[in-house]
Amino acid sequence: MDDVIIIGGGPAGLFASFYSGLRGMRVRIIDIQDKLGGKMHVYPEKIIWDIGGLAPKPCFEVIQDTVKQGLHFEPEVNLEERVIDIRKIAEQHFEVETDKGNIFSGKSVIIAIGGGIINPKQLDIKDAERYKLTNLHYVVQSLKKFKDKHVLISGAGNSALDWANDLSGYAKSVTLIYRKADIKGYEVMKEKLEELNVKKLPNTHIHQLVGDETQTKIEQVVLENIETGAHTVQSFDDVIISHGFDRENTLLEQSSAKVDMFNEYSIKGFGNTATSIDGLYACGDIIYHEAKAHLIASAFSDAANAANLAKRYIEPKAKPEGYVSSHNDIFKESNKVVMKKYL
Ligand SMILES: Cc1cc2nc3c(=O)[nH]c(=O)nc-3n(C[C@H](O)[C@H](O)[C@H](O)COP(=O)(O)OP(=O)(O)OC[C@H]3O[C@@H](n4cnc5c(N)ncnc54)[C@H](O)[C@@H]3O)c2cc1C
C-alpha cells in the first residue's frame, strides 16, 4: 500500500511528491497525460518571473526542474492513466481506480488535478490529425522552430495574440486569422498588434489543409472568408491552432468519495488543504482556501501543507512540519553530488 497517492502531476502534485518523500512517505503519482508538468506544458516558451527566489527563465526549464524535484525520492509514476474514482474504504485506506482498470490502495490521497484534464481544441478538418507530427501545432513548444518561417495562427484569444506578438519579427511573416470581425483579446495586446508586422484577416477560417506530395506536411492552406464564402490559397511553413482548451473535470462529480466543494470548480479547503474527508487533501489550482493565489508558487506552498497533513494522518505523533532541507539528514548523500559543482 502507498502512503500517499497523488492524483495529478502538475507543479502541485510534483512538489507534494517531493515533500511527501522528504517526510519519509512512499508516493505514487497518477496523471492522464503522457508527461509530468501539468498545465505548464501549455506555455513552455513563456518566461516565468513570479516564482519566489527564481530568476526569470523559460517555463520549459521550470518544468524540467519541477519534474526532477518531484522524482527525487523515486515515487511510483503512472502516466496516461485517468483516475475515475476515489473510495475511502476505512481510516488510512483509500482506493484509487483508473481507466486502465488499476485499483491502487493508499493510506492517504492528495488531489492535485488543477482545473481538470485540459486538451487543446482540435481543428475539425479532414486530415488535420496527420499533420500534427510535422507543421500543425496546438502549442508553441519553442520559438526557434519558427525562425524565418511563414506562420499562420488561427485564433483570437490571449494565447493566439501572445504567439503572434512573440513570433512577429522572428518569423518571416505572421498571419492571424479569426472568425469574428474583431479580436476579442486583451486591449494592450490588441494595440501592440497594430504596431507589429502581423497580417490580420478577420471573418476568416481554415477551409482546407493542402499537403505536400508525401501528404505528411501542410504546404498550403485554403482560407475561407466566412461572410463572402470566398476562398484564397496561401502557402505557409507552419500552422498554429489556438482555439482554446477542452476541459473535463468529472472526477469529483463521479467519485464515490464526495468532498465538499467551494464552487463548481474548486474543492473547499478547511484551513488550508484539508478537505471535508479525513485523509484526503487537495493542493494547487483545484483547492480554494482563504490564502489562495492561483500561482505555481502557491501550488508549492499548498503541496507542502498537504504532505504535512497526510503525514500526521498516517502517523498522528509525527511532527506537524517537515525538517528544513538545509539541516535535514535525508539529503546528506544527495548534497555531496550537488556540492561537487561548487568545490
Ligand atoms: C497560459 C497560462 C500561463 C500561466 N502563467 C503562469 C505564470 O507565469 N506564473 C504562475 O505562477 N502561474 C501561471 N499559470 C498558472 C499555473 O500554470 C497553475 O497555477 C499551475 O499549473 C497549477 O498547478 P496544479 O498542479 O494545481 O495543476 P495543473 O498544472 O493543471 O496540473 C494538474 C494535472 O492533473 C492531471 N489530471 C487532471 N485530472 C486528472 C485525472 N482525473 N486523472 C489523472 N490526472 C488528472 C492533469 O493532466 C494535469 O497534469 C499560468 C496558467 C496558464 C494557463
Side-chain angles (χ1 to χ4, degrees):
M1 186 184 285
D2 302 307
D3 289 328
V4 193
I5 298 178
I6 298 171
I7 308 171
L14 286 166
F15 197 66
S17 163
F18 170 78
Y19 212 80
S20 299
L22 179 151
R23 300 236 48 192
M25 294 187 281
R26 279 189 318 275
V27 173
R28 176 180 306 276
I29 308 174
I30 309 172
D31 200 301
I32 186 163
Q33 304 293 347
D34 59 1
K35 49 188 177 292
L36 295 166
K39 229 172 5 233
M40 293 191 292
H41 286 289
V42 171
Y43 51 100
E45 87 300 354
K46 304 302 287 182
I47 307 297
I48 308 297
W49 286 78
D50 49 3
I51 300 179
L54 213 69
K57 53 168 75 178
C59 191
F60 67 82
E61 283 192 14
V62 179
I63 297 174
Q64 279 165 11
D65 289 349
T66 315
V67 171
K68 194 170 172 201
Q69 186 178 46
L71 298 181
H72 181 80
F73 292 106
E74 300 179 353
E76 298 288 335
V77 179
N78 295 81
L79 291 176
E80 296 182 87
E81 269 191 79
R82 169 201 171 123
V83 173
I84 55 170
D85 196 23
I86 306 166
R87 296 184 283 272
K88 183 167 182 176
I89 309 298
E91 288 307 330
Q92 299 198 17
H93 185 186
F94 287 86
E95 281 182 356
V96 172
E97 185 175 346
T98 73
D99 60 351
K100 284 196 177 159
N102 285 324
I103 297 175
F104 299 107
S105 294
K107 292 181 186 167
S108 66
V109 171
I110 296 179
I111 302 179
I113 58 175
I117 299 162
I118 59 165
N119 283 309
K121 285 199 169 112
Q122 305 289 299
L123 187 64
D124 188 16
I125 273 191
K126 187 172 168 275
D127 294 338
E129 191 64 26
R130 73 160 64 142
Y131 302 119
K132 268 165 78 173
L133 288 175
T134 52
N135 57 349
L136 180 69
H137 315 274
Y138 289 94
V139 171
V140 172
Q141 291 291 351
S142 143
L143 293 179
K144 266 192 215 154
K145 209 181 167 100
F146 302 97
K147 186 154 178 59
D148 296 330
K149 299 285 179 64
H150 295 285
V151 182
L152 173 70
I153 302 176
S154 173
N158 293 346
S159 294
L161 301 190
D162 262 359
W163 287 336
N165 179 40
D166 291 348
L167 287 171
S168 71
Y170 195 67
K172 196 159 227 158
S173 73
V174 178
T175 304
L176 184 70
I177 59 167
Y178 39 96
R179 299 177 64 94
K180 299 239 166 88
D182 194 14
I183 291 174
K184 64 174 182 191
Y186 48 107
E187 290 307 313
V188 183
M189 189 58 83
K190 262 168 74 173
E191 280 167 25
K192 219 167 159 195
L193 273 188
E194 297 302 323
E195 298 160 18
L196 297 170
N197 190 21
V198 174
K199 184 175 168 193
K200 292 180 284 303
L201 298 177
N203 300 316
T204 303
H205 72 168
I206 295 175
H207 176 72
Q208 193 190 339
L209 301 171
V210 183
D212 63 0
E213 56 192 16
T214 62
Q215 292 298 308
T216 55
K217 231 174 150 217
I218 301 165
E219 207 163 60
Q220 291 182 313
V221 180
V222 182
L223 300 174
E224 182 176 68
N225 183 303
I226 296 163
E227 289 205 318
T228 63
H231 287 183
T232 49
V233 183
Q234 293 190 29
S235 299
F236 293 102
D237 298 306
D238 287 278
V239 177
I240 299 172
I241 306 299
S242 180
H243 294 172
F245 290 87
D246 285 321
R247 278 174 194 281
E248 194 263 283
N249 200 359
T250 49
L251 170 63
L252 299 171
E253 230 174 275
Q254 291 170 1
S255 182
S256 306
K258 295 272 178 245
V259 282
D260 285 3
M261 301 295 287
F262 172 73
N263 58 26
E264 201 185 330
Y265 310 104
S266 321
I267 294 174
K268 184 174 176 181
F270 289 79
N272 195 336
T273 64
T275 72
S276 53
I277 298 177
D278 281 347
L280 200 156
Y281 308 97
C283 57
D285 278 2
I286 189 61
I287 186 126
Y288 183 80
H289 53 76
E290 283 182 1
K292 189 71 205 167
H294 289 89
L295 287 173
I296 294 165
S298 153
F300 292 159
S301 160
D302 278 352
N305 180 262
N308 280 332
L309 293 177
K311 179 72 178 176
R312 288 262 280 189
Y313 173 71
I314 296 170
E315 287 174 42
K317 289 193 175 144
K319 291 206 165 70
E321 288 186 49
Y323 205 43
V324 286
S325 61
S326 55
H327 290 70
N328 194 324
D329 278 350
I330 204 166
F331 296 109
K332 219 170 180 175
E333 288 309 307
S334 310
N335 280 345
K336 288 180 191 162
V337 180
V338 179
M339 281 309 291
K340 264 190 192 156
K341 194 162 106 183
Y342 300 95
L343 296 173

